[in-house]
Every structure is written in C-alpha cells, then in structure tokens.
Amino acid sequence: MTALDLSSPVAVVGTGTMGQGIAQVALVAGHPVRLYDAAPGRAREAAAAIGARLDRLVEKERLTAAGRDAARARLLPVEELTGLAGCALVVEAVLERLDVKQELFRALEDVVPDDCLLATNTSSLSVTAIGGALRLPGRFVGLHFFNPAPLLPLVEVVSGSATDVTSATRAYETARAWGKTPVACADTPGFIVNRVARPFYAEAFAVYESQGADPATIDAVLRESGGFRMGPFELTDLIGQDVNESVTHSVWRSFFQDARFTPSLAQRRLVESGRLGRKTGRGWYDHADGAERPEPHTADPAEPPAYVIAEGGLGPASELLALIREAGVEVRERDADGGTRLVLPGGGKLVLADGRTTAEFRDVVHFDLALDYRGATRIALSHARHTSPAAVAEATGLFQALGKKVSVIGDVPGMIVARTVARIVDLAVEAVARGVATEDDVDTAMRLGVNYPLGPFEWSRRLGRGWAGELLDELHGIDPSGRCAPSLALHQYACAADEREDTP
C-alpha cells in the first residue's frame, strides 16, 4: 500500500492553529487541499492565513514564488461539508470532545466515498471510540501531528481496534511522503509521546511539592545536567497549564487512575487561579513585560578536596574519574565492600543518586545523574539535615573544580534527573511490552516529539538495563503508594538482558 497520489484531494476539518498547520503540510507536499470549518467565514480566514505563511516561506527562500502560487491555486475553502465530496483523505482537528468528533465523522460518511481515508488528530481521546460510531471503522486512523505541524517532523499514526492494516499503512506512507517522520502505534491512552512523557512533568512537580527544590532550580538541573531542551516548569508555561493538566488527567483516567499517572495538586492550583502560563502572563513564572526570571539555586564557591578515594568505580558516572584527574585532584582507588562511591578527605561519601534518601546514612551526599558529565554545566547535590557541612562543602568544591555549577537541593530520593529518566524508561519498556510500539519507534517519538536528548531505550542501554528498575525499587520501598512502582515489564526487560549475556 502506497501513499496517496498527489492528485488526490485532502480535506482538513477545523481551521485553528493545528488545522491550518496540517493543511499547509499537505498543500506544500503537492495535494489539492480543501478547508472546512463549522463557523461561517473561518475557512476563508484560514486560507488567507495559510497564504500569508506561504509568503513568509518565499521570503525565507524555503519555497519558490512559483511554488507558492501553485499551492495557493490548490487551496479551496468550502462553506458546506458537502464541499468535501470526492476527497481521498479527511483529517479532523476540531474540539477535543468525543461526541463532537463522532458526530462529525458520521456526517462525513454520508459525503465522502467509501474508500476515503478518515483521520483524527486527537491527542487525548481514544481513536477506537471515535471510529466506533462509523459505518466503516476500518478506514479510520489517528494522525497525531505535533504543534507547529509544518515544523515538527513527528506524526503518530494510531491504529484503533477496528483499523484495517491497509488504512494504517496508507496513512503512514502518506505522512512520510509529506516529509514527516511517522511512527506506528496502537490506540492506548496518550499514544507514545503523551504516555511516556508523563514522568518528565510528574517527577518535577513531586520534587517541588516536597519542597526539595524550586521551579527554576529543577528546570536548570534538567537542562544543564539532564540535557533536556527545556525544563518542565518552563515547558508547561509554554504549552499552557490547562492544556498540560488536561492531557495528564485524560491519561490518568484512561488508565483507571493508575498511581503512576497521578496529576499534580500544585498544577491544579495554578489552573484554578487562572495562571496558565505565557498566554495569561503568569504560570510557574511571571511572563509580564520586564519581569525578572528567578535564578536557580547555585552554591557559593568552595575549596576542592586535595584528593578523593574511588571505591568500586562509579557505574554510569564513571567518566567523572577522568574529569577529576584532569582538574588536578588526586584519585586514589581501592576495593569497596559493596557499592560504588567517592570518599572525601573528611570522611564524607559521594554517591550517585540511587533512589535512597541521604537521611539513611551518615555523611553521605548524593549527586544526580547527567546525560554527559563532561558536557554538563550543572550538577545537583542532595544531603540530609544531619550531613556534616564539611562533607557538603568538599562535595561542592569538587564539582566546582570540574567547571560545574552546583545546585544543592533537599533530601530527595532519586534526586531530579535520575528519578525522571528511570520512570521514563519504565513507561517506555511497558509500552513496548504491551504492543503499543517498537523500541525504535518509541525512541524516535520521544526525540522528535518532545526533543529528548536520548530515546528511553538509548538511555537504558547507556545506563545498563537493570539501572532503572533498581532505582525504582528503592523509591517504591520508601513510598509504596505505587506512583514509582516499577512495572513487571521492566523487571522482565532487565532479566532478559542477563540471560542474553550468559549465552555463549
């Protein structure tokens, strides 16, 4: 099954930002495009707005003037749904309400031919449920574009329970012909990206709610240590707190209130107060003109230790040993009686975040995971109230000697980056185990859909397949509410790796 022929008309129903973006993608790819909106005059306004965007593409030399003129000639706004007769594909981008979408597609079935592919751009509703209202549900698929559709490459091609393989394949190949990167997935709450991405927000909000760190510090650590493009507080301010919370609630409800998807009370309070982010001028941050952005907590300068003792290596943080030596700090190595750590001259111990609290130990300072310790510009440290100030100062000075800014946070088990990555890996592994998508498609979706520095499976291979499960086991032991409970799939994933390694 191949992509739709370029001579085949494509219709977009709903002419908001997303609908206009999808129409532009199909138009630039070479299709005749018809626009329809239930509100009188909206389709004509949308056509004019798309034409203005084409003009800007010409100005930026991304489209020729002849290409623009040809695209404009292929764009047709219509005032009646019957104007979509003869289309080969209809993509819907209307209000996120099941009844509204079902009613629209029932009406479309009376207009378009039986071989017309019908698609929804829903991000939170069940593709199966929308298609369940149709006479021919086999031709119904999800085509979930990401905003802005002309710029972001990812498209999730979602098969509902009744979707025919031929329909899903045609939708997939058409998206690819439009210059997008499609990933195939089954109809599950949140599909790939909105399912696997929930911990990125949830863990940050949990750290904040426990008073472990402030939003600016959490954002900075995830950016400068974790390698994420944006922190969760600034990102949800950009998305809109109401929009982000709505997706979280939808996934949570769809998974029968699974504790791992529990929404944030702090975010609920923001929404209730009308502080929705940039669009209202205030969210986690103040976005008013001239407002000062709060600075992340950064420790004052401290003297580095003269030496450290490395016991048992540092596992995923082993590259730190070379950095410490390059900074002129002596590294003495000795065998460890279990565990891996750096012992400081004053007797304090530096331990990579492992899901335990520092309160459990004497003079232990945890340090957070980094995507790349050499490239990281900030490291978070965590300690208990009874940890000696000397141990904290030596740990701070050590990382400062490596050229890192240091953020000291509260006694947060799993810290910030480590617990976030562990939970993302868990949900990704579980999604693959349940047949939602392949490992490669999950990694592609998370890198392209939300700009993660690594896909979850790429990260897992780098850290070790058992790493996430071990950290989550510790977190679940401390907090048995279930929100950090590792899945059975993650346990099986780690065990399968051990079996392969033992095979000659």
Side-chain angles (χ1 to χ4, degrees), residues 140-265:
F140 188 73
V141 299
L143 276 177
H144 182 214
F145 289 78
F146 288 75
N147 196 26
L151 296 180
L152 293 186
L154 184 71
V155 177
E156 292 177 317
V157 181
V158 186
S159 293
S161 296
T163 302
D164 293 335
V165 173
T166 53
S167 297
T169 303
R170 171 156 283 184
Y172 184 98
E173 293 300 333
T174 297
R176 185 157 63 177
W178 290 358
K180 296 301 180 183
T181 303
V183 292
C185 69
D187 184 21
T188 185
F191 310 140
I192 299 173
V193 172
N194 280 330
R195 173 180 178 153
V196 177
R198 293 346 293 164
F200 181 68
Y201 312 106
E203 294 311 305
F205 298 162
V207 172
Y208 168 73
E209 289 173 343
S210 69
Q211 300 187 55
D214 61 275
T217 299
I218 296 169
D219 278 353
V221 170
L222 282 162
R223 286 195 315 269
E224 299 172 38
S225 184
F228 292 92
R229 187 75 58 84
M230 296 180 75
F233 294 92
E234 57 189 342
L235 180 55
T236 52
D237 265 3
L238 175 63
I239 295 169
Q241 298 303 329
D242 53 339
V243 174
N244 181 262
E245 191 206 29
S246 177
V247 173
T248 299
H249 270 270
S250 176
V251 173
W252 176 61
R253 287 192 302 268
S254 298
F255 278 114
F256 308 104
Q257 300 185 3
D258 186 327
R260 294 175 302 164
F261 299 100
T262 301
S264 162
L265 180 59

Side-chain angles (χ1 to χ4, degrees), residues 241-391:
Q241 298 303 329
D242 53 339
V243 174
N244 181 262
E245 191 206 29
S246 177
V247 173
T248 299
H249 270 270
S250 176
V251 173
W252 176 61
R253 287 192 302 268
S254 298
F255 278 114
F256 308 104
Q257 300 185 3
D258 186 327
R260 294 175 302 164
F261 299 100
T262 301
S264 162
L265 180 59
Q267 188 179 40
R268 175 92 289 263
R269 293 293 179 256
L270 273 186
V271 174
E272 289 174 338
S273 67
R275 291 178 291 171
L276 307 182
R278 292 189 183 183
K279 62 187 176 183
T280 62
R282 190 175 183 88
W284 296 109
Y285 299 110
D286 186 349
H287 298 281
D289 291 340
E292 291 187 12
R293 183 70 173 266
E295 292 293 326
H297 170 76
T298 302
D300 292 333
E303 287 294 320
Y307 67 89
V308 294
I309 301 171
E311 295 186 341
L314 293 177
S318 59
E319 65 179 320
L320 276 175
L321 297 178
L323 298 180
I324 294 170
R325 290 187 176 98
E326 290 169 16
V329 177
E330 180 186 357
V331 177
R332 305 172 185 175
E333 298 189 48
R334 70 185 182 198
D335 293 334
D337 52 351
T340 62
R341 54 191 167 263
L342 290 175
V343 181
L344 300 165
K349 300 176 181 63
L350 258 176
V351 179
L352 177 63
D354 57 8
R356 295 180 292 178
T357 66
T358 51
E360 300 173 52
F361 307 99
R362 179 183 177 85
D363 276 359
V364 162
V365 177
H366 278 119
F367 65 95
D368 209 350
L369 182 68
L371 170 69
D372 167 18
Y373 283 99
R374 183 174 291 278
T377 58
R378 183 179 299 271
I379 295 293
L381 302 180
S382 174
H383 66 89
R385 292 181 180 178
H386 61 249
T387 306
S388 72

